Amino acid sequence: MEMSRRQSPNLAIFLMSTVLIQHFTVVLSIGVNYGTLGDNLPQPAQVAQFLKEKTFIDRIKLFDVNPDILRAFAGTGILVTVTVPNGEIPNLTDVRYARRWINVNIKPFYPQTKINYIAVGNEILHWGPQELIDKLVTAMRSLHHALSLSGINDIKVSSPHSLGILASSQPPSTARFRSGWDKGTLAPMLQFHRETKSPFMVNPYPYFGYSPKMANFALFRPNRGYFDRFTNKTYTNMFDMLMDAVYMSMRRLGYGDVDIVAAETGWPSLGETFEPQCTVENAASYNGGLLRHVSSGAGTPLMPGRKFETYIFGLFNENQKSGSLAEKNFGLFRPDFTPVYDIGIMRGGPVQPHPTPSPALPAAPSKGKKWCVPNPKPATQHCRPT
Ligand SMILES: *[C@@H]1O[C@H](CO)[C@@H](O)[C@H](O)[C@H]1NC(C)=O
Ligand SMILES: *[C@@H]1O[C@H](CO)[C@@H](O)[C@H](O)[C@H]1NC(C)=O
């Protein structure tokens, strides 16, 4: 009796901590964009093993359909998003071509590799050309149709958008899509998403809306908040504000029920002297805050309790990306797998960040095309070459 009475609090604490630990491990889940513009990056098989064994990263997004990477992730259980190159969009409007495309790019790897999304192009509305914009939704429908003809029903089709699709985002309650794109492309696309239960993909980057005055708000640090007087909601971080701006714009067209995926977001850990916001501290603060926030399931002020699949950009520092030093230093990891900073993403507790900074150094300019991510405010654009 004495014994058990003495032991029960210990037992209770033990059970409670077990529950907490299990809760913690179950809840932490995050995606990363696995870009490959580096001449020093590890082999895909090493990357797959590292992510599976050492990190809480349970999904990746590729900017292409790299067969070596798809093969390497077979059997890992890690979810994989592939991206259709922009140039394929016109041909993919033909279902026969779409079936061939799936036979060549998806079938050899599916279902051993858990491909769950096909992203059709990248930020097409923002970058054009108009011919691709006009054909985008038809290509998405055609790919979806080809997938079902191939008996594949668990791969969803989407297309990531920069926040240049928004005409305004502040306050979020008044946000709307740019006219022209709203009814012309986005409403038919959202209709497609509703019919096929696929998500609308957006790339919200508080980084590109950075201003020193809003630094804490952008970086998930304590701040005074932003009050939306039309909804009486207070925003404590810019990520939520951008997500709610997207949500309100969707709702305005009648599609508030469609799921949203944050397909790209991140913060560089190093930049040029004119990019003083690019520091290890800021990158850790943003990506760490993001990981905790999206894993918590709290949602946003206008979407309470909703979870958003979120993909950090990016996995590695990429020394062959063109553009400023910041572009090459978005990575959570260096090519040798050492974390650039610790955000609690490693299994088995924190790992000491590399003691000395070894940034990705500029490489010869790559031939990659430029693509920009606009400031949430439409007037300015921040070029983001890739
Ligand atoms: C589109 O299809 C045409 C005709 O089959 C082919 O010549 C062309 O190379 C294709 N384009 C791409 C980007 O695959
Ligand atoms: C916001 O609060 C004000 C003042 O309390 C109130 O008059 C108004 O109806 C509220 N608006 C909404 C949308 O809740």
Side-chain angles (χ1 to χ4, degrees):
M1 202 54 202
E2 264 317 296
M3 274 284 279
S4 64
R5 212 181 289 151
R6 269 212 319 272
Q7 279 187 344
S8 51
N10 288 340
L11 185 66
I13 288 166
F14 170 75
L15 286 175
M16 217 164 72
S17 54
T18 308
V19 167
L20 281 176
I21 287 163
Q22 280 175 354
H23 189 62
F24 196 63
T25 51
V26 167
V27 164
L28 270 190
S29 134
I30 194 89
V32 292
N33 283 273
Y34 179 1
T36 54
L37 296 177
D39 61 9
N40 54 358
L41 297 181
Q43 290 303 310
Q46 291 175 277
V47 177
Q49 192 186 5
F50 171 74
L51 293 186
K52 182 179 156 69
E53 290 174 4
K54 300 279 170 51
T55 76
F56 290 116
I57 294 164
D58 61 359
R59 56 203 69 210
I60 60 167
K61 177 167 160 287
L62 307 178
F63 291 102
D64 52 20
V65 279
N66 183 321
D68 295 332
I69 297 181
L70 290 178
R71 215 171 283 123
F73 278 79
T76 58
I78 293 174
L79 297 170
V80 180
T81 298
V82 297
T83 301
V84 175
N86 295 359
E88 298 265 17
I89 289 170
N91 278 2
L92 283 172
T93 57
D94 177 353
V95 176
R96 284 165 308 178
Y97 186 91
R99 283 201 78 172
R100 280 208 298 280
W101 192 89
I102 284 162
N103 283 339
V104 171
N105 293 286
I106 302 292
K107 278 245 176 112
F109 312 104
Y110 171 91
Q112 301 88 331
T113 300
K114 286 180 79 174
I115 301 168
N116 64 334
Y117 296 128
I118 298 176
V120 182
N122 196 24
E123 303 188 336
I124 295 294
L125 268 68
H126 193 89
W127 292 105
Q130 191 61 40
E131 190 211 353
L132 296 191
I133 297 175
D134 292 343
K135 293 186 167 157
L136 181 56
V137 178
T138 313
M140 290 166 73
R141 282 198 178 273
S142 160
L143 259 179
H144 174 77
H145 187 49
L147 283 166
S148 34
L149 289 175
S150 308
I152 300 175
N153 297 309
D154 57 354
I155 299 182
K156 299 189 170 177
V157 176
S158 189
S159 182
H161 303 287
S162 84
L163 291 200
I165 58 174
L166 299 178
S168 64
S169 62
Q170 275 177 43
S173 59
T174 64
R176 57 190 168 74
F177 293 129
R178 289 194 184 206
S179 61
W181 288 346
D182 54 355
K183 303 241 166 47
T185 305
L186 292 167
M189 190 181 293
L190 288 163
Q191 179 63 32
F192 165 76
H193 286 317
R194 175 182 285 160
E195 287 167 19
T196 61
K197 296 188 169 37
S198 52
F200 188 62
M201 289 185 169
V202 293
N203 298 341
Y205 272 98
Y207 168 67
F208 291 111
Y210 175 87
S211 72
K213 263 172 65 185
M214 300 272 269
N216 290 338
F217 187 64
L219 291 166
F220 290 101
R221 287 179 182 146
N223 63 86
R224 284 171 44 227
Y226 176 94
F227 182 70
D228 185 333
R229 67 190 181 283
F230 300 108
T231 55
N232 290 345
K233 304 285 187 195
T234 298
Y235 289 84
T236 58
N237 65 79
M238 198 185 290
F239 178 81
D240 278 356
M241 197 167 78
L242 295 177
M243 292 297 278
D244 272 357
V246 171
Y247 168 69
M248 282 307 294
S249 307
M250 292 164 68
R251 238 176 70 172
R252 217 171 282 283
L253 294 179
Y255 294 96
D257 56 306
V258 171
D259 275 340
I260 307 173
V261 166
E264 259 189 62
T265 187
W267 203 285
S269 59
L270 186 75
E272 313 278 357
T273 47
F274 58 85
E275 300 168 315
Q277 71 275 32
C278 304
T279 64
V280 164
E281 292 71 27
N282 286 356
S285 181
Y286 180 76
N287 285 323
L290 177 80
L291 171 67
R292 284 186 296 278
H293 182 56
V294 300
S295 297
S296 77
T300 68
L302 295 180
M303 297 181 280
R306 262 175 77 167
K307 267 200 161 182
F308 312 103
E309 267 184 74
T310 299
Y311 295 79
I312 293 176
F313 184 89
L315 181 53
F316 294 113
N317 284 337
E318 294 172 76
N319 67 0
Q320 290 182 314
K321 284 193 78 181
S322 54
S324 75
L325 198 55
E327 284 300 322
K328 306 175 206 312
N329 287 282
F330 268 92
L332 296 172
F333 297 97
R334 298 186 187 82
D336 66 0
F337 293 111
T338 55
V340 181
Y341 41 85
D342 175 41
I343 58 167
I345 212 169
M346 307 299 289
R347 288 185 188 278
V351 163
Q352 277 313 77
H354 206 274
T356 50
S358 65
L361 297 169
S366 79
K367 278 177 290 175
K369 76 174 174 58
K370 278 196 161 197
W371 49 287
C372 284
V373 172
N375 191 293
K377 290 178 217 120
T380 46
Q381 282 189 356
H382 300 251
C383 282
R384 172 153 160 47
T386 186

